[in-house]
Amino acid sequence: MDTRHYFDAEPTTASAPRTVTLALPDLTVSLATDRGVFSAEHVDPGTKVLLTTVPPPPGGELLDLGCGYGPIAVVLGLRAPASHVWAIDVNARARGLATANAAAVGASNVSVAAPGAVPADLRFAALYTNPPIRIGKLELHRLLDIWVPRAMVSWMVVSKHLGADSLARWMHDERGWSVARVASRVSYRVLEVRP
Ligand SMILES: C[S@@+](CC[C@H](N)C(=O)[O-])C[C@H]1O[C@@H](n2cnc3c(N)ncnc32)[C@H](O)[C@@H]1O
């Protein structure tokens, strides 16, 4: 059985570097990807929905939770040059790609790091995530419990088929967070969450 996942800390899948294009109304970038990271073949449609839906990022500290090869972090860094973007991921190969992609587009305000490297007292003006649904419900809830309370607002994109509505209910009913569905497009929901 193949037990490899895009959220493995050290992917063992043989490397096969490639480039994908992220085209948005306001900018287009080429990004390096590789096997062993999430959506290596093309920019995930949910990620594109998130990036075309959210309002312009505020200044200050921003967080890309589960950055993968960095499409969200890179766009935040370019859209808000005065901000500082933390791009965090458990997958070392993804972190390497995100670091290279931020450098390649000149987004020097992006810091790529393992989750444990983020200073514990840091709070975020905004959090952005295409969350790792595949880690399982309990792990996902644990992850959101760690990061969402540290951000003024969290913007999340979740596929309807992967439980966007039940996740929204859990955040609202079990955690008491304010949850608004700001967009529903191509089978994805974009949620605005405030703790
Ligand atoms: C659905 S992917 C999104 C990747 C990227 N943001 C994108 O839009 O293409 C979720 C990412 O979360 C990462 N992840 C899984 N568990 C995590 C954790 N505990 N802390 C931070 N990132 C995690 C995975 O490795 C994966 O790269």
Side-chain angles (χ1 to χ4, degrees):
M1 190 176 84
D2 189 345
T3 54
R4 291 167 294 188
H5 299 291
Y6 66 73
F7 47 87
D8 287 343
E10 298 284 350
T12 53
T13 313
S15 174
R18 58 180 295 166
T19 302
V20 297
T21 300
L22 170 57
L24 298 168
D26 56 330
L27 57 89
T28 297
V29 286
S30 288
L31 299 169
T33 75
D34 201 344
R35 288 171 65 200
V37 306
F38 175 76
S39 201
E41 305 75 28
H42 51 79
V43 176
D44 179 64
T47 297
K48 276 192 81 170
V49 169
L50 181 77
L51 291 172
T52 48
T53 305
V54 293
E61 301 288 340
L62 308 180
L63 177 67
D64 174 2
L65 172 58
C67 64
Y69 58 86
I72 298 173
V74 161
V75 170
L76 293 173
L78 292 176
R79 283 182 179 165
S83 69
H84 176 234
V85 184
W86 287 88
I88 64 170
D89 207 292
V90 289
N91 179 326
R93 190 178 291 180
R95 291 198 302 272
L97 290 162
T99 303
N101 285 327
V105 301
S108 56
N109 54 339
V110 174
S111 299
V112 182
V118 179
D121 58 351
L122 198 63
R123 297 293 177 267
F124 304 95
L127 177 162
Y128 300 80
T129 190
N130 180 346
I133 301 290
R134 304 266 180 210
I135 61 176
K137 199 195 279 193
L138 284 180
E139 279 301 312
L140 178 64
H141 290 177
R142 200 170 302 165
L143 185 65
L144 297 178
D145 271 338
I146 292 171
W147 296 102
V148 169
R150 295 175 62 174
M152 297 273 289
V153 59
S154 295
W155 300 97
M156 294 178 199
V157 65
V158 184
S159 160
K160 292 179 200 169
H161 310 302
L162 292 180
D165 292 341
S166 68
L167 181 63
R169 267 195 305 278
W170 173 78
M171 290 191 288
H172 179 268
D173 298 351
E174 303 293 327
R175 288 297 176 269
W177 300 338
S178 138
V179 180
R181 189 195 299 166
V182 292
S184 187
R185 237 193 265 165
V186 238
S187 84
Y188 292 93
R189 298 229 199 276
V190 176
L191 305 173
E192 176 185 358
V193 182
R194 292 177 189 270

